[in-house]
Amino acid sequence: MRIRDWDRNLKVRLFAEAMMNITFWMFFPFLTIYFADEFGKNKAGILLVFSQVFSVLANLMGGYCADRFGRKRMMVLSAIGQGLSFIIFGASSSPWLDSPWIGFISFAIAGVFGAFYWPASQAMVADVVEEKDRGNVFAIFYTSINIAVVIGPILGAIFYVNYRFQLLLVAGIVCIMLGLILAKWTRETAPLKKSTSIDVEGKWYYFLQNQLRDYSLIIKDKTFLLFILAGVLAGQTFMQLDLLIPVYMKDVLKTQSLFSFSIKGEQAFGIVLAENGLLVALLTVSVTKWMSRYKERNVFILSSIMYAISILLFSVTEWIWGFIFAMAIFTFGELMGAGLQQSFVSKLAPEHMRGQYFAAASLRFTISRTIAPIFIPMTVWIGYHWTFFFLSIVALISAGFYWLMFYFFEKQIPPKSSKNFL
């Protein structure tokens, strides 16, 4: 499906969100360093975990609100709220005010608004794109984000250190502009819902009861529950890209030569991270099209196996070219399921609960992000090689969960539609 054939909502979002994502990634990679410098590493880590808990809750509530109040409304409110949070964050580190606590609170609130935005944005894609084309559309949005991940930090390295206040101010303005663009040039896509007596009474605990009831129905979906569990296990591997892998490369890679340039461990990590971002940006769409020829079951299982192989390769090399090769395998495993997993969620989700399904599906990442840091102290307890070996076993277990998931999935759908699930 070509971009020119897309629904106008998606065209507007693709270009407006690209502008926002580039601005966001100009400062986001540096915030952990900022909070660690201001609060100390231990306190900064606890605070960031604490803020992540709020984002998880907001993500789940965001899915409910997207189904209840509409995709467009939630996206507009979230973008504007995030923009205002960034402006306050910038003001907290301006020439007139220096308050890291206000900055952290603003950052946490921005994360909550971002968590509200995500399920509504994913559900909107499922609303306006036919099932056969969803994988490609999700892949293009994923590519757009990864282009921002490549460009943003490069620009941020130039501007962030000396112009943090101005950069955060621009980020806030861009987010508010995104909200206004969505309000003016997009339409609501959520299915119409009939009002009920509960809606009329509007008591706060009815809202909460409805939300808990709907999510309990999702958890009872065996296929979807296995999808989340498999994703959490696989996530323990790919979350190490920001955690264990840089620490390991810094410790084991001594000064080496690459194309006549002398590099150390930290620089080598920067190279393989750039390799990952570049490959994702260039190949997401083509790999998604390639993978769409095969059954989803085989693609998901092989993706986990690729993660297991790559993490083992990382553990047995101390050579820069070995790391580059391992990252290529790692990235291929990432690309295999990049577009297809979101498309698979849209298959499982009933039309009236798409927002909540996408919100619940994102628990794969939020739970993984919460658990994954435990592997760093594990290297002290059992050493790097055993830690990487354990991670590879976890990835293989996730492959087993995917097999079990498709076993249940294929039992619950009509035979003729099971011919090729991709």
Side-chain angles (χ1 to χ4, degrees):
M1 186 180 185
R2 295 168 297 185
I3 293 178
R4 69 182 183 186
D5 299 323
W6 282 16
D7 183 273
R8 189 178 74 168
N9 277 23
L10 302 186
K11 292 178 185 176
V12 170
R13 279 185 49 203
L14 181 64
F15 295 104
E17 288 179 7
M19 180 175 61
M20 184 197 72
N21 287 331
I22 290 173
T23 311
F24 176 76
W25 281 96
M26 285 174 68
F27 65 86
F28 178 71
F30 306 99
L31 291 184
T32 302
I33 298 171
Y34 168 71
F35 290 129
D37 288 343
E38 294 293 341
F39 298 120
K41 292 180 181 178
N42 290 335
K43 186 184 287 187
I46 293 170
L47 289 173
L48 290 171
V49 169
F50 186 67
S51 69
Q52 186 63 39
V53 171
F54 281 102
S55 294
V56 172
L57 297 174
N59 193 278
L60 294 174
M61 187 173 291
Y64 182 86
C65 293
D67 289 333
R68 198 73 162 170
F69 306 116
R71 326 303 194 204
K72 175 180 173 178
R73 181 182 297 178
M74 293 308 303
M75 291 167 67
V76 170
L77 291 174
S78 298
I80 293 175
Q82 195 169 31
L84 293 173
S85 301
F86 286 144
I87 290 173
I88 296 171
F89 190 176
S92 74
S93 58
S94 68
W96 310 282
L97 178 66
D98 183 17
S99 175
W101 278 107
I102 293 177
F104 173 77
I105 293 169
S106 302
F107 170 72
I109 293 172
V112 168
F113 278 115
F116 272 108
Y117 188 94
W118 174 256
S121 69
Q122 300 299 288
M124 180 178 280
V125 174
D127 291 337
V128 300
V129 180
E130 294 182 11
E131 186 178 301
K132 63 183 177 65
D133 295 317
R134 285 175 193 159
N136 287 335
V137 174
F138 281 123
I140 291 172
F141 273 99
Y142 189 74
T143 299
S144 173
I145 293 171
N146 279 278
I147 291 173
V149 172
V150 175
I151 297 173
I154 295 173
L155 296 175
I158 300 171
F159 295 107
Y160 174 81
V161 175
N162 297 317
Y163 303 100
R164 183 169 64 235
F165 162 61
Q166 292 88 339
L167 187 55
L168 286 165
L169 184 64
V170 170
I173 293 170
V174 169
C175 282
I176 292 172
M177 286 175 57
L178 171 64
L180 297 176
I181 289 169
L182 293 175
K184 184 172 178 60
W185 284 298
T186 63
R187 72 183 196 286
E188 184 55 69
T189 63
L192 293 173
K193 298 190 74 163
K194 294 180 180 179
S195 295
T196 65
S197 59
I198 291 177
D199 296 326
V200 174
E201 291 177 34
K203 294 180 180 178
W204 70 270
Y205 56 85
Y206 286 148
F207 176 90
L208 183 61
Q209 285 174 353
N210 286 341
Q211 187 173 8
L212 293 174
R213 184 193 64 220
D214 288 347
Y215 278 116
S216 69
L217 291 175
I218 293 174
I219 296 301
K220 290 176 183 176
D221 183 338
K222 283 184 182 178
T223 302
F224 189 67
L225 183 59
L226 286 167
F227 176 75
I228 293 175
L229 292 174
V232 168
L233 291 172
Q236 298 313 301
T237 302
F238 63 73
M239 289 295 171
Q240 301 309 321
L241 185 60
D242 302 324
L243 298 168
L244 180 58
I245 291 175
V247 176
Y248 174 67
M249 290 183 67
K250 180 182 177 183
D251 284 351
V252 303
L253 196 149
K254 309 306 177 186
T255 303
Q256 295 184 15
S257 178
L258 181 67
F259 299 123
S260 301
F261 293 98
S262 180
I263 60 169
K264 296 181 180 179
E266 300 96 323
Q267 296 166 314
F269 173 69
I271 291 169
V272 298
L273 186 61
E275 174 196 1
N276 173 261
L278 184 61
L279 290 176
V280 169
L282 293 176
L283 300 178
T284 297
V285 175
S286 56
V287 172
T288 298
K289 287 181 179 178
W290 178 25
M291 292 298 110
S292 67
R293 301 174 188 172
Y294 307 102
K295 289 187 176 181
E296 283 173 334
R297 176 190 60 205
N298 298 338
V299 174
F300 288 8
I301 291 172
L302 187 58
S303 173
S304 291
I305 293 173
M306 289 294 103
Y307 278 131
I309 292 171
S310 66
I311 212 71
L312 281 178
L313 289 174
F314 272 110
S315 71
V316 297
T317 186
E318 298 180 5
W319 182 42
I320 179 60
W321 285 106
F323 286 121
I324 290 172
F325 178 71
M327 181 54 72
I329 302 296
F330 184 98
T331 306
F332 182 62
E334 177 184 355
L335 292 176
M336 290 180 72
L340 298 184
Q341 290 207 0
Q342 296 298 84
S343 179
F344 183 73
V345 174
S346 68
K347 284 184 184 181
L348 295 177
E351 187 180 79
H352 67 288
M353 293 180 69
R354 277 179 180 153
Q356 287 166 275
Y357 264 78
F358 277 110
S362 68
L363 289 173
R364 293 170 294 155
F365 307 117
T366 50
I367 294 175
S368 295
R369 200 174 293 120
T370 303
I371 299 173
I374 192 64
F375 288 96
I376 294 177
M378 275 184 67
T379 62
V380 178
W381 306 332
I382 60 176
Y384 278 118
H385 295 299
W386 281 108
T387 302
F388 278 109
F389 178 75
F390 185 74
L391 277 167
S392 68
I393 295 299
V394 170
L396 292 176
I397 294 172
S398 78
F401 271 89
Y402 279 129
W403 180 89
L404 188 61
M405 176 190 78
F406 277 99
Y407 172 78
F408 286 111
F409 180 55
E410 292 172 8
K411 283 176 65 175
Q412 69 186 33
I413 60 175
K416 81 175 172 184
S417 52
S418 67
K419 232 196 244 170
N420 184 19
F421 301 119
L422 246 180

